[in-house]
Amino acid sequence: MSTLKKAGSALISVFHKEGLEPIVKKLDQLGVTIYSTGGTEAFIRDLGIEVTPVESVTSYPSILGGRVKTLHPKVFGGILNRQDNEGDVAQLEEFEIPQLDIVIVDLYPFEKTVASGASEQDIIEKIDIGGISLIRAAAKNFKDVWCVSSREDYADFLEILNNQDGASTLTNRKEFAARAFNVSSHYDTAIFNYFNKDHDLAALKISETEGRVLRYGENPHQKGYFFGDLDGMFEKLHGKELSYNNLLDIDAAVTLMAEFQGEPPTFAVLKHNNACGIAQRKTVLNAYLDALAGDPVSAFGGILISNTAIDLPTANEIHKLFCEVVIAPSYSDEALGILKGKKNRILLIQKHNDLPPTLTRSCLNGALVQDRDLRTDSREGLQYVTDLNPGDQEVEDLLFASKICKHTKSNTIVLVKGKQLCASGTGQTSRVDALNQAIHKARSFDFDLEGAVMASDAFFPFPDCVEIAHKSGISSVIQPGGSIKDQLSIDYCNANGISMVMTGTRHFKH
């Protein structure tokens, strides 16, 4: 076991006082000399515990409205000195610098202040200077100093104090130093990203302090991890641990269903990041049944998501299907009783729809970053380019199909009728192949495509797609437009009584 090092002194200066009281009392019980500043000093004194003001050590008061309190050689000398270095020890004695064995510091809540919508001046004042300097100094000198940099570490710190009678091992101190640098690097990343929110500097900094080890990655021979506050977005009610592939499908499901928030009951079934069924109806039960009808084969082992509460009748139907995950804003108690009947089925309540405004993915020996595609095609943005205009119901179906198309792997063609996905061609190298795949699939599940509509994620370079669609019963088409040969497709539609609208917005997804 590593040699135990007894602490004789501690510097405590924290913004958050929650959880501090038992630590201060334990340090006092152990006979540790406590130094502190400002509000923390007052907090400790109110507990009836003796505390030495830092000002009495530095002979300097807190100045500049509290901006400078601990930035002084007599503080940092007490932290950074090497206790096995004769020169350092001699200088401590020469300049009357107290040795500091424990540093307990946290940081101003910069991220929370930004998230609150505070003014820039308030945000700037929450950029910690003294605290971050103390953390870095104490963590650097972990050989001699024990750094506690977050209230999240208070419980572990107190347990070690109790178990080891106020002493620490080098292993203890080095572990807490790693935690401290995690805190400091994350803090600096948040500050940089605030100043670079418009990405004027072509630099990428990502920091997630919460993470979990997954059972494996995309395949069993690959390791997998998730970094982020998953519990902040979902409440898990039941089921096995989420896998890497589950999380990818959940991401696809959540981003798709975000298009239908506030709309009538909409239900989607996804498999391998693509919707294999989706429908919008007056009740969630009918929305589920018609979504399932889109492809009951692919639905096996899929991810289910609803934009409205799941009730008992819907749960009874879902229970007949083997599915990996069910996501909804809420469930009735009776529905939960049914859905929990499969021990591995994962049941999630989605708490919010707040997704990052940018997307990041690894690429070659670096990363690609882009804005999230937040543009949703709307009635107001449609360009009516054919002699025949689509009717109101066709426009509703076209916009419904466009939303699905936006969240389907390219090249894709989506076929919709009556706000129900009939079929989609996904991830094809040719748009014609995607269309033929969609038609074949729709017919294999007995969909009547007469009067259905078609959406494409990108323009048609030739009129072949509208010709194939027309011969299959498609009555209206939505596509971005932008090909130098757009007129060929428009001419075919005009000659054959098909309406077509253009959006001016491509929705590739790779």
Side-chain angles (χ1 to χ4, degrees):
M1 182 176 178
S2 300
T3 303
L4 289 170
K5 182 178 186 298
K6 192 87 170 181
S9 60
L11 171 63
I12 307 176
S13 180
V14 297
F15 183 87
H16 302 97
K17 312 300 188 293
E18 299 87 349
L20 186 62
E21 181 176 343
I23 289 175
V24 172
K25 289 182 175 178
K26 183 63 180 180
L27 291 173
D28 182 58
Q29 178 189 330
L30 291 166
V32 173
T33 301
I34 299 175
Y35 299 88
S36 192
T37 63
T40 308
E41 177 192 339
F43 174 84
I44 295 170
R45 187 167 283 111
D46 288 344
L47 294 175
I49 293 173
E50 185 176 348
V51 56
T52 301
V54 167
E55 290 92 330
S56 69
V57 175
T58 63
S59 300
Y60 257 96
S62 172
I63 62 174
L64 306 181
R67 281 189 166 198
V68 180
K69 289 181 284 191
T70 57
L71 294 169
H72 194 282
K74 284 197 171 184
V75 173
F76 282 86
I79 296 171
L80 286 167
N81 74 90
R82 293 155 292 186
Q83 293 178 25
D84 60 355
N85 182 295
E86 291 182 5
D88 287 5
V89 173
Q91 285 192 319
L92 289 189
E93 186 174 345
E94 178 186 356
F95 295 108
E96 298 181 335
I97 298 173
Q99 171 65 45
L100 296 173
D101 300 313
I102 297 173
V103 174
I104 302 175
V105 184
D106 66 3
L107 300 172
Y108 292 157
F110 178 82
E111 288 179 280
K112 285 187 177 179
T113 305
V114 172
S116 73
S119 68
E120 180 160 277
Q121 184 56 44
D122 288 339
I123 290 170
I124 297 304
E125 289 304 318
K126 288 298 183 289
I127 297 177
D128 208 310
I129 303 300
I132 201 79
S133 301
L134 290 169
I135 286 173
R136 290 179 64 85
K140 173 180 177 176
N141 200 26
F142 67 87
K143 184 177 178 182
D144 295 310
V145 181
W146 194 355
C147 181
V148 183
S149 57
S150 168
R151 55 185 167 169
E152 303 297 325
D153 296 333
Y154 285 0
D156 290 344
F157 175 68
L158 187 58
E159 182 180 4
I160 295 171
L161 282 182
N162 287 324
N163 292 344
Q164 297 175 181
D165 197 30
S168 62
T169 66
L170 180 62
T171 300
N172 295 148
R173 297 190 298 277
K174 190 170 184 178
E175 178 188 341
F176 273 72
R179 298 184 189 189
F181 284 120
N182 184 31
V183 167
S184 65
S185 62
H186 178 78
Y187 197 76
D188 284 339
T189 294
I191 294 170
F192 170 78
N193 287 335
Y194 169 75
F195 280 95
N196 197 43
K197 55 193 169 187
D198 294 328
H199 300 287
D200 294 328
L201 294 175
L204 174 64
K205 299 189 188 301
I206 300 173
S207 177
E208 291 290 351
T209 56
E210 296 186 46
R212 61 182 70 190
V213 179
L214 305 175
R215 284 175 288 160
Y216 50 80
E218 203 160 7
N219 299 292
H221 63 278
Q222 297 169 270
K223 292 181 180 180
Y225 309 87
F226 176 81
F227 296 99
D229 184 14
L230 201 59
D231 292 335
M233 189 162 193
F234 299 102
E235 179 183 353
K236 185 182 173 189
L237 304 177
H238 183 73
K240 62 184 179 180
E241 289 300 310
L242 289 163
S243 71
Y244 183 98
N245 291 328
N246 287 156
L247 289 167
L248 287 176
D249 283 331
I250 290 169
D251 177 72
V254 166
T255 53
L256 169 63
M257 195 53 69
E259 301 283 353
F260 302 97
Q261 293 306 303
E263 296 190 13
T266 307
F267 210 107
V269 182
L270 288 91
K271 195 75 171 286
H272 294 293
N273 308 159
N274 294 303
C276 56
I278 180 169
Q280 188 173 95
R281 294 293 181 261
K282 292 181 179 179
T283 68
V284 66
L285 172 61
N286 288 333
Y288 167 70
L289 291 173
D290 285 349
L292 179 63
D295 187 347
V297 175
S298 295
F300 182 85
I303 306 293
L304 279 56
I305 187 167
S306 170
N307 72 342
T308 192
I310 292 180
D311 55 21
L312 178 59
T314 309
N316 280 326
E317 291 298 324
I318 292 173
H319 195 56
K320 299 174 184 178
L321 174 73
F322 168 70
C323 59
E324 290 271 340
V325 183
V326 183
I327 310 165
S330 63
Y331 304 79
S332 71
D333 291 340
E334 297 82 2
L336 279 178
I338 295 296
L339 294 173
K340 287 182 178 179
K342 299 284 179 69
K343 68 176 184 178
N344 287 330
R345 180 186 287 145
I346 300 165
L347 303 178
L348 300 176
I349 288 179
Q350 185 179 345
K351 299 177 183 178
H352 62 77
N353 251 339
D354 300 331
L355 297 170
T358 56
L359 299 174
T360 305
R361 65 193 295 180
S362 61
C363 181
L364 300 175
N365 61 345
L368 285 171
V369 180
Q370 66 170 345
D371 294 337
R372 185 178 292 276
D373 184 356
L374 297 176
R375 184 171 297 181
T376 299
D377 298 327
S378 64
R379 185 183 290 263
E380 294 74 24
L382 298 180
Q383 306 164 36
Y384 298 86
V385 296
T386 51
D387 295 338
L388 179 66
N389 287 342
D392 285 343
Q393 182 57 56
E394 284 179 316
V395 170
E396 291 294 316
D397 279 353
L398 289 167
L399 294 174
F400 188 83
S402 174
K403 290 178 180 180
I404 302 168
C405 199
K406 172 182 168 183
H407 295 279
T408 305
K409 293 289 185 181
S410 299
N411 287 313
T412 185
I413 293 288
V414 169
L415 305 179
V416 162
K417 186 176 182 180
K419 291 194 175 179
Q420 178 187 22
L421 175 63
C422 301
S424 58
T426 63
Q428 299 301 302
T429 53
S430 158
R431 200 159 303 282
V432 171
D433 287 346
L435 175 55
N436 285 327
Q437 181 190 53
I439 293 169
H440 172 77
K441 190 172 182 180
R443 287 173 174 166
S444 71
F445 293 115
D446 298 324
F447 279 99
D448 178 7
L449 293 179
E450 289 295 328
V453 305
M454 175 175 76
S456 174
D457 58 340
F459 63 63
F460 300 122
F462 305 102
D464 45 7
C465 281
V466 290
E467 180 178 355
I468 295 168
H470 167 243
K471 291 178 179 177
S472 300
I474 302 299
S475 64
S476 193
V477 178
I478 185 169
Q479 57 127 330
S483 168
I484 59 174
K485 296 183 179 180
D486 274 345
Q487 193 60 44
L488 296 178
S489 293
I490 294 171
D491 290 343
Y492 183 91
C493 289
N494 286 336
N496 292 277
I498 302 174
S499 60
M500 183 162 66
V501 296
M502 293 182 180
T503 65
T505 303
R506 189 181 73 186
H507 291 295
F508 270 164
K509 185 184 180 189
H510 295 106

